[in-house]
Amino acid sequence: GRMSARLTAKRGQRMHSEVMVRPLQISHLPAVAQVHLRAFPDSALSKLGGEAVRRYYEWQLTGPHDVHAVGAFIDDRLAGFCFGGRFRGALIGFLRTNRSYLTLLVLRKPWLLFNPLFRERALYAVRYINRAKPAREQPSNVPVTGSERAPFGILSIAVDPQAQGKGVGQVLMEDAEQAARQSGYGEMILTVHHDNVQAIRFYEKLDWV
């Protein structure tokens, strides 16, 4: 389901002294992939392995997006991450850029197709990549205001299970909200599976609906 948050007056933010938020670089992506694998072990992307996950986030970091990608670090170790902003071809661009690699990967791991979730996502991806047009690059400095502007989207947010309960998720969401507000967005959106009750409660505590 889709959730959204209106960006109005700045809310008070709680400080979490042990969690440091820093922009993500290419060199961080292997650690990002490992956090993703631990946080989402059953996702279709995780079934492809760490290198596929790393390539997915590399596309989000380097593609034609207005991306705000940050990591939450505890003692210089990545404890969580968030990719937000405005994405142009987040999925289709990744599939097209890595088409040969992903095809070879599935050929090497044909048993993946017996996994119902992976098979469903794979069939969707095949239909999507054959039907969709390439993402059109648009300059990020074109002023767009009011109802014409797309919301600031949270593409992915993950917390290492070993860092649960330390406020990492809240720090990341507060940082994303601040980035959206500073860039002039009036609304944020994200999607979450309707069965993920824990995540929905977390977002609702942060005033998402």
Side-chain angles (χ1 to χ4, degrees):
R2 171 171 158 162
M3 301 187 75
S4 66
R6 293 287 179 181
L7 292 170
T8 54
K10 184 176 181 179
R11 294 196 294 267
Q13 297 182 356
R14 283 186 274 174
M15 299 298 294
H16 302 271
S17 57
E18 64 177 328
V19 181
M20 300 295 295
V21 176
R22 299 199 298 265
L24 289 173
Q25 309 293 335
I26 294 291
S27 60
H28 293 126
L29 295 184
V32 166
Q34 291 307 308
V35 170
H36 178 104
L37 291 172
R38 288 192 289 270
F40 311 117
D42 298 323
S43 73
L45 181 59
S46 293
K47 298 296 183 184
L48 291 171
E51 175 59 16
V53 177
R54 188 200 66 79
R55 287 172 178 245
Y56 174 78
Y57 287 110
E58 181 178 17
W59 168 252
Q60 312 314 330
L61 198 60
T62 62
H65 318 299
D66 295 327
V67 61
H68 178 74
V70 297
F73 294 82
I74 299 178
D75 296 330
D76 287 329
R77 179 182 178 184
L78 186 70
F81 63 84
C82 180
F83 282 71
R86 185 179 177 191
F87 295 88
R88 302 175 180 89
L91 175 61
I92 190 65
F94 163 68
L95 294 174
R96 283 204 167 101
T97 302
N98 296 278
R99 185 190 313 217
S100 298
Y101 172 80
L102 294 173
T103 300
L104 182 61
L105 196 59
V106 173
L107 289 176
R108 288 176 176 175
K109 300 180 178 182
W111 59 86
L112 287 173
L113 295 175
F114 291 96
N115 180 287
L117 175 61
F118 183 85
R119 185 170 61 249
E120 176 188 346
R121 297 297 173 85
L123 291 174
Y124 171 79
V126 169
R127 290 195 299 267
Y128 192 59
I129 199 171
N130 288 331
R131 181 170 45 186
K133 296 180 180 179
R136 183 179 60 180
E137 293 195 25
Q138 297 178 351
S140 60
N141 59 353
V142 175
V144 182
T145 59
S147 60
E148 296 180 358
R149 186 168 199 180
F152 182 104
I154 299 296
L155 178 71
S156 181
I157 181 170
V159 176
D160 192 321
Q162 298 176 358
Q164 290 286 350
K166 297 184 178 181
V168 174
Q170 181 174 340
V171 168
L172 289 169
M173 290 301 294
E174 289 174 349
D175 178 85
E177 182 177 329
Q178 182 179 7
R181 184 180 290 107
Q182 290 177 346
S183 297
Y185 287 89
E187 184 181 12
M188 298 175 69
I189 61 169
L190 59 80
T191 58
V192 59
H193 197 277
H194 58 80
D195 288 338
N196 194 344
V197 178
Q198 182 178 359
I200 293 173
R201 288 176 179 171
F202 167 72
Y203 295 127
E204 288 177 339
K205 287 181 180 179
L206 297 179
D207 295 338
W208 287 65
V209 294

